[in-house]
Amino acid sequence: MQVPLSNQVDVAGFHSEATRLLARQVPPDIVQWSAAPAQTVAEEALDPGRASIHNRAARAIIPQSFIRMSELVVLNRDPRRFDLLYRSLWRLVYEPALKHDAEDHDLSRLRQMAQAVRRDIQKMKTRLAFRSLDLHGEKVPVGWYEPSHFVAETVGAWLARRDPSVRWILLTPDRSIRWDGSRLLCAPAVAPPHGPRSDAEWARVLDAMPWR
């Protein structure tokens, strides 16, 4: 059974689909999850609450501790993360004693993946640097970073909260993110795989951004 998700970090979609599959008693060994890279060309506003569980049935079925961990795990680059999450969730539902097993391989692996994401978020917060570039006659801080996992949007939200008055652009190999002073906007990546190397290349990259 193919279960598509809207993007690589679609945690809300995963929770919704997982709840539906559990209700139908669909075992994990016949489910194949897929998450395609974002394809939209235009910028889109990021929903700060998109990781929240709005479905009442999902909140009743999925343990809160698992929800919190899954919000980190979906940011991991491991292509098997959704399979592992659903298998672990299935087992937590049908094997209640599992939550007390500190040495279970699946749950241990999920904790390791979540911790790797936490480390990557902290590393990006510490190492991310911006340079002032001219954009449409205005100086704008622009940063480039190559995270190990899909953490750019999480760090972008943190930057926006930290100092809402400063507008900036953040480029990564996965996404292009912009804070316009009131909204956090996201678009597909426009930068080269390893970042712009010259002022001319920076200018071409910024021209490729789908500004509104």
Side-chain angles (χ1 to χ4, degrees):
M1 178 182 291
Q2 295 284 338
V3 182
L5 297 173
S6 63
N7 57 64
Q8 294 279 7
V9 293
D10 187 10
V11 63
F14 168 77
H15 289 149
S16 178
E17 290 295 327
T19 303
R20 181 180 65 83
L21 294 171
L22 284 171
R24 295 173 56 188
Q25 298 184 321
V26 179
D29 57 352
I30 68 168
V31 177
Q32 185 171 2
W33 300 83
S34 61
Q39 297 297 321
T40 50
V41 176
E43 288 182 311
E44 58 180 355
L46 291 178
D47 175 9
R50 68 180 181 173
S52 303
I53 307 301
H54 301 294
N55 184 298
R56 185 175 299 176
R59 292 199 303 268
I61 293 174
I62 304 177
Q64 284 298 314
S65 58
F66 186 89
I67 290 174
R68 290 191 296 271
M69 182 167 60
S70 66
E71 290 172 357
L72 289 169
V73 172
V74 296
L75 305 182
N76 197 287
R77 284 193 190 272
D78 191 322
R80 299 162 298 179
R81 62 194 182 282
F82 292 108
D83 299 293
L84 179 57
L85 281 166
Y86 183 60
R87 183 170 72 242
S88 300
L89 180 57
W90 172 276
R91 294 182 61 213
L92 284 167
V93 170
Y94 289 98
E95 303 173 32
L98 180 64
K99 62 183 178 181
H100 302 298
D101 186 352
E103 298 183 0
D104 179 77
H105 181 269
D106 285 348
L107 296 184
S108 295
R109 176 58 184 150
L110 287 177
R111 287 192 291 269
Q112 292 169 2
M113 293 167 71
Q115 185 57 34
V117 169
R118 287 192 191 94
R119 287 196 299 267
D120 201 35
I121 290 171
Q122 188 57 44
K123 185 186 297 184
M124 185 171 177
K125 288 179 179 180
T126 302
R127 298 183 179 181
L128 179 62
F130 288 85
R131 57 186 296 181
S132 183
L133 296 176
D134 185 72
L135 181 66
H136 306 313
E138 180 182 358
K139 292 293 185 181
V140 178
V142 181
W144 161 263
Y145 193 81
E146 194 168 350
S148 299
H149 301 288
F150 298 111
V151 301
E153 294 176 6
T154 300
V155 174
W158 170 77
L159 285 170
R161 290 192 303 270
R162 186 181 66 170
D163 191 352
S165 65
V166 178
R167 294 184 296 170
W168 46 261
I169 296 168
L170 172 59
L171 305 175
T172 76
D174 305 302
R175 301 295 276 160
S176 304
I177 302 172
R178 180 166 70 102
W179 173 247
D180 70 356
S182 60
R183 297 176 303 164
L184 194 62
L185 299 162
C186 196
V190 295
H194 298 293
R197 301 295 188 185
S198 65
D199 289 345
E201 198 168 29
W202 274 106
R204 287 196 297 272
V205 165
L206 293 179
D207 285 340
M209 288 287 289
W211 306 113
R212 289 180 177 173

